[in-house]
């Protein structure tokens, strides 16, 4: 059983053919009772059963225990393809009634039926009577993969409507999810106002479903009813569950307010779904949802029937649907666009953000004579100033022209910061079809906001990995060369800004080399760690420690990582604080596209301080995802957003963020963004402790000018405020020296002295292709804090904190961070 789920006791079937859940106050005391339903599938005739968990608390635990299973009388099918329940006062006598729904699967065409049992008691008995089975007209499916019902007064006239939902499974085609409304039920549950036509749920992507559900609730506190649709996708391996919300459903079934999570969008962007967290089943045989209100806050009960080898089991959990920034954080989409796709993103040491893309995955743009023409708006890069107001918040650097009289194309190069704050971008695209790597390298100066050339590498690098070393030099590894055969560049080069030259190194002959965009980390002893993360490369190389002091360069394998073949487009971080020397790799999926295998949720951590390090599995992600972005937060947690369940698949985009706390080994689901962040998306920490999410172009465009089509080129900027920004006042830094030396004791002026939990240096992010090898959080050793001064010691190890600019954060005892101060660390 996965985290967060509660088990329904005394589950007895070995096979099920449907299930559902409902919530109601069966005692009239204002408490919620949980009614769980399932279809037992023994050999022969099937049977429906329900049981009640009485007086559930906020977590779903029934304070007054569970009833026994109660059979639904007169169950007649020998095969079912779904079943569900709903509870409402159908006969208007002030008492809750139970409505049972099922899909009969006889030889030939299927049929849908429902019946009403009046006056459901808290012990599960029916004080009234069971009505007859009522056929749902115009049922057309010959095969269904589950269905559900909901009851609500959709026009406010005091009469209930019956919403019937089902998944049509047409064989070797994609499934179709449809619903219809039976208007104005009478006391016996008969539809007196006619039935609507069948209406489609937009964006249904499953080819196989293993459970469905619907619910009606006012999810936006707008006074209007909304339709919540739930599905279990029968993926190739581990199953996943999703839901979406249709705003403002009327009596004719029309969705007047669009579909969350993208209600104002049109076209494919309106197809996205939210994920049900921590789904663990590899086979399901039914499931459902129900709306629940407690203390004025809306939640959703998610129920599933797990089908492991052997006996089945039923589980459920409660998911909040209310908006609570203190719990979930908050997303804010900016009113302006970035101007280029943020394939690469960097926080400059003046607080501005550099976004750069080069050709941005467009061969036509790359080949056009207008490529790089800033006068026509075809920019290579852009600087965004978060402190400025539109239209004065963007600056476009000049295009850098290479020796071949063509623009230097940053696309798919590697990036890292020099100690003086300049950004080095090395490699990139010199040719498409096949992709070939550049030998060029360029420097971006935050002061002039312009690019200049740096010394050339020995050979080209497309998809290289760059990290800054403890002496301030920058290492470049891997990538494809400039050759037409797209060969791997299996050398290592180290750039020195003092000489403006690269130093060439080779691996030992028996080492297969590093994959593209290899995830590399500088360790405290100066060695380099490769954790197995990579980008779109079939070359499978086990994690290893790389020793640059040997000639040729030597490697030591590090065992134990799970999902070795599935770490394409994973994310990796050096867990905070850097002194702990623990690297975490999370998520990922198979190499190559299109693929039929979903992303994984596996997360592994390795402690590199021990003599013989090896990976250990820790808590998995709430939502499996690949091409996720991971950002270190000042409160020593890890923020993750974006990605998809399948590579470059927008309907399966992971819109909900999540945060990992290493201290408790827990992942907590955060608020959902309305902007899918897929391939070529980025995320970076801002000095105000918020996170900027940008970019994404899962489908390459054929256009030359930058496009506002989010399917091809996503240029909206989205900023996430973590929950710690809603927990009270922030600590402040009123003074601190801007230049620090290794081993120095520094004084930080703050009125919060005495309430500071951490003083930390966070290296500014520079990221591309789901990885940032430069970001790290280094704790300062606090010697004392009183009288408005925090006295702390800087690490004396430049491998822990490579020379350069850092953001200084103070975090108080409540976990709230300050706004950062920029600090440059050097050896003097």
């Amino acid at each position: 059983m996965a985290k967060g789920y509660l088990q329904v006791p005394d589950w007895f079937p070995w096979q099920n053919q449907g299930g559902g859940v409902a919530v109601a106050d069966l005692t009239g005391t204002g408490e919620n009772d949980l009614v769980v339903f399932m279809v037992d599938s023994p050999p022969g005739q099937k049977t429906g059963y329900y049981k009640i968990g009485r007086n559930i608390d906020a977590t779903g635990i029934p304070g007054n225990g569970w009833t026994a299973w109660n059979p639904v009388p007169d169950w007649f099918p020998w095969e079912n393809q779904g079943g569900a329940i709903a509870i409402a006062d159908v006969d208007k006598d002030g008492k809750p009634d139970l409505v049972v729904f099922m899909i009969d699967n006889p030889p030939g065409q299927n049929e849908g039926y429902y019946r009403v049992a009046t006056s459901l008691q808290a012990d599960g008995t029916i004080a009234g009577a069971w009505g007859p089975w009522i056929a749902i007209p115009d049922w057309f499916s010959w095969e269904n993969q589950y269905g559900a019902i909901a009851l609500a007064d959709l026009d406010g006239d005091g009469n209930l409507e019956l919403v019937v939902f089902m998944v049509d499974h047409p064989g070797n085609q994609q499934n179709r999810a449809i619903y219809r409304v039976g208007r104005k039920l009478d006391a016996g549950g008969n539809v007196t106002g006619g039935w609507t036509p069948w209406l489609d749920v937009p964006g249904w992507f499953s080819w196989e479903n293993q459970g469905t559900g619907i619910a009606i609730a006012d999810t936006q506190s707008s006074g209007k009813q909304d339709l919540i649709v739930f599905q279990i996708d029968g993926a190739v391996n581990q199953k996943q569950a999703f839901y979406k919300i249709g705003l403002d459903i009327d009596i004719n079934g029309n969705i007047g307010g669009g579909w969350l999570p993208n209600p104002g969008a049109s076209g494919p962007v309106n197809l996205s779904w939210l994920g049900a967290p921590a789904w663990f089943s590899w086979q399901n045989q039914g499931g459902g949802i129900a709306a629940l209100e407690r203390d004025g806050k809306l939640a959703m009960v998610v129920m599933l029937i797990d089908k492991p080898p052997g006996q089945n089991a039923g589980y459920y959990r409660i998911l909040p649907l209310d908006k609570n920034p203190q719990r979930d954080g908050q997303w804010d989409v900016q009113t302006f666009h970035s101007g280029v796709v943020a394939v690469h993103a960097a926080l400059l040491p003046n607080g501005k953000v550099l976004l750069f893309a080069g050709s941005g995955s467009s061969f036509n743009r790359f080949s056009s004579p207008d490529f790089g023409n800033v006068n026509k708006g075809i920019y290579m890069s852009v600087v965004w100033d978060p402190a400025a107001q539109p239209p004065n918040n963007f600056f476009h650097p000049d295009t850098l022209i290479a020796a071949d009289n063509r623009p230097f194309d940053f696309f798919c190069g590697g990036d890292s910061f020099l100690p003086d704050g300049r950004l080095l971008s090395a490699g990139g695209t010199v040719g498409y079809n096949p992709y070939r790597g550049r030998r060029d390298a360029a420097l971006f100066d935050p002061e002039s906001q312009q690019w200049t050339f740096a010394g050339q590498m020995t050979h080209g690098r497309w998809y290289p990995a760059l990290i800054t070393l403890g002496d301030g030099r920058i290492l470049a590894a891997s990538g494809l060369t400039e050759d037409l055969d797209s060969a791997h560049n299996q050398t290592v080069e180290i750039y020195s800004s003092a000489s403006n030259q690269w130093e060439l190194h080779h691996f030992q002959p028996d080492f297969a080399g590093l994959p593209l965009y290899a995830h590399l980390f500088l360790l405290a002893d100066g060695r380099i760690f490769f954790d197995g993360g990579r980008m779109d490369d079939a070359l499978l190389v086990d994690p290893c420690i790389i020793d640059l002091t040997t000639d040729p360069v030597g490697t030591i394998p590090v065992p134990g990582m799970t999902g070795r073949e599935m770490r394409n487009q994973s994310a990796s971080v050096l867990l905070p604080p850097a002194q702990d020397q623990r690297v975490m790799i999370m998520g990922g999926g198979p190499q190559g596209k299109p693929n039929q295998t979903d992303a994984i949720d596996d997360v592994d951590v390795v402690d590199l301080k021990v003599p013989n390090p090896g990976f250990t599995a820790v808590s998995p992600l709430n939502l499996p995802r690949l091409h996720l972005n991971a950002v270190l937060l000042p409160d020593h947690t890890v923020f993750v957003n974006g990605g998809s369940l399948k590579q470059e698949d927008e309907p399966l985009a992971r819109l909900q963020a999540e945060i990992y706390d290493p201290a408790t080994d827990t992942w907590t689901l955060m608020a959902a963004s309305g902007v899918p962040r897929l391939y070529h998306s980025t995320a970076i920490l801002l000095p105000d402790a918020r996170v900027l999410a940008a970019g994404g172009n899962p489908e390459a465009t054929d256009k030359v000018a930058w496009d506002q089509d989010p399917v091809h080129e996503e240029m909206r900027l989205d900023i996430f405020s973590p929950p710690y920004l809603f927990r009270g006042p922030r600590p402040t830094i009123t003074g601190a020296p801007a230049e620090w030396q290794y081993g120095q004791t520094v004084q930080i002026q703050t009125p919060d002295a005495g309430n500071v939990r951490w003083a930390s240096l966070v290296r500014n992010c520079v990221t591309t292709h789901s990885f940032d090898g430069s970001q790290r959080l280094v704790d300062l050793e606090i010697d004392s804090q009183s009288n408005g001064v925090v006295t702390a010691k800087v690490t004396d190890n430049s491998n822990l904190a490579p020379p350069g600019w850092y953001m200084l954060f103070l975090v108080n005892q409540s976990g709230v961070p300050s706004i950062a101060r920029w600090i440059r660390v050097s050896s003097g």
Side-chain angles (χ1 to χ4, degrees):
M1 181 176 64
K3 56 187 178 183
Y5 287 86
L6 300 172
Q7 189 165 359
V8 179
D10 305 320
W11 200 276
F12 60 88
W14 287 60
Q15 296 286 336
N16 288 104
Q17 291 188 349
V21 64
V23 174
D25 176 9
L26 300 178
T27 60
T29 61
E31 302 293 340
N32 287 310
D33 302 305
L34 184 71
V35 186
V36 176
F37 168 79
M38 56 94 160
V39 180
D40 179 29
S41 177
Q45 191 167 325
K46 313 310 174 195
T47 306
Y49 293 90
Y50 64 93
K51 70 185 310 182
I52 301 171
R54 294 166 292 196
N55 187 14
I56 60 172
D57 64 15
T59 65
I61 296 174
N64 292 334
W66 288 88
T67 68
W69 288 103
N70 296 274
V72 177
D74 305 320
W75 201 275
F76 60 88
W78 286 61
E79 288 293 328
N80 286 108
Q81 291 189 336
I85 55 171
I87 298 176
D89 184 7
V90 177
D91 60 5
K92 302 180 184 179
D93 67 350
K95 300 175 183 178
D97 304 319
L98 174 67
V99 181
V100 179
F101 161 78
M102 58 106 153
I103 301 174
D104 180 29
N105 178 230
Q109 191 167 315
N110 285 1
E111 290 287 347
Y113 295 90
Y114 67 97
R115 69 186 309 195
V116 179
T118 56
S119 190
L120 173 65
Q121 305 298 295
D123 62 0
T125 59
I126 301 298
W130 285 92
W133 288 104
I134 302 172
I136 297 166
D138 304 321
W139 202 276
F140 61 87
S141 291
W142 288 63
E143 290 291 326
N144 289 106
Q145 289 188 333
Y146 303 94
I149 57 170
L151 292 166
D153 179 3
L154 295 180
D155 60 356
D157 69 347
N159 297 304
L160 290 173
E161 274 71 53
L162 174 66
V163 184
V164 178
F165 169 76
M166 61 104 153
V167 175
D168 180 37
H169 180 61
N172 294 325
Q173 299 179 45
Q174 193 165 313
N175 282 2
R176 180 188 178 199
I178 49 179
Y179 65 96
R180 67 187 314 194
V181 179
R183 293 169 290 217
K184 304 187 187 308
L185 299 185
D186 65 13
N190 300 291
V191 173
T192 65
W195 288 87
T196 70
W198 289 103
L199 303 169
D200 283 275
V201 176
W204 201 267
F205 57 85
S206 292
W207 288 63
E208 180 191 350
N209 288 107
Q210 294 188 351
T212 57
I214 57 170
I216 303 287
D218 180 4
T219 65
Q220 306 302 299
S221 301
S222 63
K224 300 177 180 178
Q225 301 277 29
D226 306 318
L227 175 65
I228 310 172
V229 179
F230 166 81
Q231 65 160 310
I232 303 172
D233 180 35
V236 176
N237 293 317
Q238 187 172 327
K239 310 312 172 197
Q240 291 296 311
F242 301 86
Y243 67 98
K244 67 192 307 182
I245 301 173
L247 300 178
D248 187 13
I249 181 172
D250 66 17
I251 194 171
N252 296 313
N254 300 308
I255 303 299
W259 289 86
L260 286 174
N262 314 101
S266 60
V269 182
N270 199 27
L271 303 181
S272 298
W273 294 74
L274 298 173
W279 207 263
F280 59 92
S281 293
W282 287 64
Q283 290 294 327
N284 289 110
Q285 289 188 335
I289 58 171
L292 177 152
E293 189 170 324
R294 187 182 187 91
D295 299 326
K297 297 178 180 179
L298 187 65
M300 178 173 68
V301 181
V302 177
M303 175 261 185
L304 66 94
I305 301 174
D306 183 34
K307 173 58 181 168
Q311 190 169 318
N312 284 3
Y315 298 95
Y316 66 97
R317 71 178 300 169
I318 296 176
L319 299 178
L321 291 179
D322 63 311
K323 295 180 180 179
N324 185 344
Q326 188 174 4
R327 180 192 63 213
D328 307 327
Q330 178 176 285
W331 286 97
D332 295 297
V333 180
Q334 304 305 292
T335 58
F336 43 81
H337 289 178
S338 61
V340 300
V341 173
V343 179
H344 304 250
L347 176 66
L348 303 174
N350 54 16
K352 298 179 181 180
V353 177
L354 174 66
L355 307 174
F356 51 115
S359 57
S361 196
S362 172
F363 174 70
N364 285 356
R365 184 180 295 131
F366 175 84
S367 304
S368 170
D370 290 330
F371 180 36
N373 188 333
V374 295
N375 295 322
K376 293 187 176 182
I378 307 172
Y379 310 114
M380 307 292 288
S381 58
V382 63
V383 178
W384 170 51
D385 184 357
Q389 295 299 314
N392 301 314
N393 53 343
F394 285 97
F395 174 82
H396 297 97
D398 296 335
T399 297
L400 199 58
I401 303 299
D404 60 0
N405 205 34
R406 294 277 297 151
F408 171 33
D409 191 356
F410 307 109
F411 180 58
C412 295
D415 321 296
S416 196
F417 279 103
L418 288 165
D420 61 7
R422 290 180 298 165
L423 177 71
L424 177 72
S425 183
T429 303
V430 76
Y432 279 70
N433 303 319
Y435 288 112
R436 293 177 288 127
R438 305 191 73 93
R439 294 177 57 206
D440 300 301
L443 294 166
F444 185 81
D445 186 343
E447 296 300 321
S448 66
Q449 300 189 120
Q450 296 293 347
W451 294 93
T452 58
F453 276 111
Q456 276 194 334
M457 296 178 291
T458 305
H459 289 288
R461 295 186 186 273
W462 187 85
Y463 274 26
L466 268 67
I467 58 171
T468 302
L469 302 178
D471 59 5
R473 297 183 299 163
I474 294 179
L475 176 145
S478 189
L480 300 181
T481 70
E482 69 275 24
D483 298 331
L484 286 173
D485 61 0
S486 298
H488 277 67
N489 186 340
Q490 294 298 15
T491 66
V492 174
E493 295 184 74
I494 300 176
Y495 176 77
S496 169
S497 60
S499 65
N500 193 32
Q501 292 181 342
W502 295 85
E503 179 181 286
L504 186 66
H505 297 260
H506 295 85
F507 284 107
Q508 292 175 344
D510 60 346
F511 182 64
L514 292 171
L516 303 177
Y517 274 134
H519 294 192
L520 302 179
F521 296 92
L522 174 67
L523 301 183
D525 61 8
R527 295 183 297 174
I528 308 299
F529 178 57
F530 165 60
D531 76 348
R534 63 191 187 279
M535 172 63 62
D536 293 340
D537 196 340
L539 177 64
L540 291 178
V541 180
D542 289 325
C544 61
I545 296 173
I546 301 167
D547 188 352
L548 296 173
T549 65
T550 62
D551 186 17
V553 174
T555 59
I556 301 171
V558 176
M561 185 183 68
T562 58
R564 175 176 178 265
E565 294 80 12
M566 297 287 285
R567 293 302 187 175
N568 175 54
Q569 299 192 37
S570 58
S572 306
V573 294
L574 179 64
L575 285 172
Q579 286 91 336
D580 287 351
Q581 295 289 278
R582 299 171 70 227
V583 169
M584 181 168 77
I585 184 169
M586 62 208 93
Q591 187 273 330
K593 56 180 189 280
N595 62 72
Q596 295 299 314
T597 305
D598 289 346
I600 60 175
D601 57 8
D602 298 77
V603 180
D604 291 295
V605 171
V606 57
D607 183 349
L608 293 157
K609 292 184 303 186
V610 301
N612 298 299
F615 283 91
T616 300
V618 296
S619 289
L621 294 159
N622 274 300
L623 301 174
R625 52 179 105 204
L626 74 160
H627 209 83
L628 60 163
N629 292 291
V631 177
L632 302 182
L633 298 181
D635 67 346
H636 290 55
T637 61
V638 181
F639 169 84
V640 164
N641 81 300
S644 177
L645 187 59
K646 290 186 186 292
Q647 186 167 342
E648 303 183 28
D649 194 329
E650 196 277 334
L652 300 178
R654 295 307 200 180
L655 298 177
Q656 298 132 296
E658 49 189 307
I659 290 179
Y660 178 73
D661 186 350
T664 58
D665 186 29
T666 54
W667 289 93
T668 304
L669 208 63
M670 294 286 111
S673 169
V675 182
R677 298 294 179 191
L678 300 168
Y679 196 64
H680 290 153
S681 65
T682 49
I684 61 174
L685 179 69
L686 298 175
D688 62 6
R690 297 183 300 167
V691 177
L692 169 69
N697 64 337
E699 296 183 21
T701 181
D702 59 359
K703 297 181 180 179
V704 175
W706 289 106
D707 196 13
Q708 301 299 330
D709 175 9
V711 173
H712 295 92
E713 296 185 336
E714 178 57 77
M715 287 192 254
R716 287 173 290 178
L717 301 178
D718 211 4
I719 298 180
F720 180 73
S721 297
Y724 53 50
L725 295 181
F726 302 92
R727 293 180 187 153
R730 304 180 70 160
T732 57
I733 302 172
T734 56
E739 299 281 343
W740 293 5
Q741 296 180 14
Y742 293 107
Q744 179 183 359
T745 297
V746 296
Q747 291 189 331
I748 305 165
Q749 282 75 44
T750 173
D752 301 278
N755 190 38
V756 173
R757 182 179 183 184
W758 290 304
S760 306
L761 296 176
V762 180
R763 193 168 178 90
N764 44 322
C765 292
V766 52
T767 183
T768 187
H769 288 78
S770 195
F771 179 63
D772 179 358
S774 295
Q775 66 170 334
R776 55 182 57 211
L777 183 154
V778 184
D779 274 347
L780 304 176
E781 182 181 340
I782 297 177
D783 292 335
S784 64
Q785 49 173 318
S786 62
N787 300 320
V789 176
V790 173
T791 302
K793 185 177 180 181
V794 186
T795 179
D796 59 3
N797 186 347
S798 65
N799 293 320
L800 274 178
W805 288 93
Y806 289 82
M807 291 180 284
L808 168 65
F809 285 100
L810 297 182
V811 179
N812 66 21
Q813 296 295 334
S814 299
V816 182
S818 66
I819 294 174
R821 280 287 186 107
W822 285 101
I823 303 294
R824 188 165 75 166
V825 180
S826 69
S827 56

